[in-house]
Amino acid sequence: MISRRAFLETLAVAAASPMVRMQTGSGEWGSPVFDLHFHLRPQPANNLAHLDGAGITSANLLTRAGAFDQVKAVQAAAPGRFTWFSSADVTKPEAEATLTQAVKDGARGFGEMKFHVAADGPELRRMYALAAELQVPILIHFQEVDHFPNEGTWSTGFARTFEGILKAYPKTIFIGHADAFWANVSADYHNEAAYPAGPIKRGGITDRLLGDYANLYGDLAANSGNNAMTRDPEFTSGFLGRHQNKLIFGSDCSCADGRGAGISQSNNPAASRLAGKCVARETLTALKKSVPAATFRKLVWDNAHTLLKIPV
Ligand SMILES: [Zn+2]
Ligand SMILES: [Zn+2]
């Protein structure tokens, strides 16, 4: 016989468990949701505030080298709700050792990788080889257009050179993210704006590479992903359907409460269209209205679990 107190404790644990929510199929999105692209916040409670406020079940923490103790604290505060990736400065000789140790400590991937180097340069090539060796995915920020003066560019050359990288590293699982990855869904893009608007010209590089290369996935996070998926609704439904096993929901949202309070896109003036909004909520809404329920569930839950090898 179970005591009343033990029974109440069981209920409390069950209520906090993503598995239970998943089984009930409840939650405001009609499916459990996993956020692939969630930057670690120093206070455990602030991480949970965003997930709970946006109706998100669990998330992948993107961390910098040396964050393992913080990751452990967040995981302890909410068992079962957080996985993590680690990045390391790719220009430093110790990057490979740092990332190898992170994977030994439980990191499920590299990311986000955001450095002022070329996408096909020697610094990132070392990381591509290591990701294949350790059998973890690598999440890359591609950006060719400054958001503010002197910001600089990140993992440059996506449109020109990345197909060669996909061919050269067939055993590396790449997750594409950010401005250049998403602007290149349109065939008429030539680095003229960070976030191009208007109808999408079919046959863009990103669309083609996702179709042609089994080792490329796409992270739907941030203003870049949201912008690409809201420019041209007819394109969006077709694109999400074509690549329904290779696209993964992420937020990259920095709002405080999962409802748009605070600053959602790190004061990026080019992303002012999402000011006062929660990127997670905006993108989940766009995805949900663009695809059938079974596809939505793949984008926001199943694909991430398969790719990150997270037991369900
Ligand atoms: Zn990024
Ligand atoms: Zn948010």
Side-chain angles (χ1 to χ4, degrees), residues 37 112 114 141 177 252:
H37 197 125
E112 82 177 272
K114 182 177 180 181
H141 180 111
H177 150 73
D252 201 5

Side-chain angles (χ1 to χ4, degrees), residues 37 39 62 112-114 139-143 177-179 219 222 224 252:
H37 197 125
H39 289 281
L62 302 182
E112 82 177 272
M113 306 310 273
K114 182 177 180 181
L139 195 166
I140 306 166
H141 180 111
F142 296 103
Q143 183 184 332
H177 150 73
D179 310 15
D219 166 2
S224 54
D252 201 5

Side-chain angles (χ1 to χ4, degrees), residues 41 50 54 251 253-260 264 277-281:
R41 302 173 183 201
H50 194 271
S251 74
C253 189
S254 51
C255 91
D257 60 355
R259 298 184 176 277
S264 66
K277 296 176 175 171
C278 174
V279 188
R281 287 186 164 277

Side-chain angles (χ1 to χ4, degrees), residues 28-62:
E28 69 176 289
W29 303 106
S31 161
V33 174
F34 182 90
D35 183 348
L36 176 71
H37 197 125
F38 186 80
H39 289 281
L40 172 69
R41 302 173 183 201
Q43 300 301 324
N46 293 346
N47 296 275
L48 283 168
H50 194 271
L51 267 63
D52 290 341
I56 290 172
T57 314
S58 46
N60 188 45
L61 302 167
L62 302 182

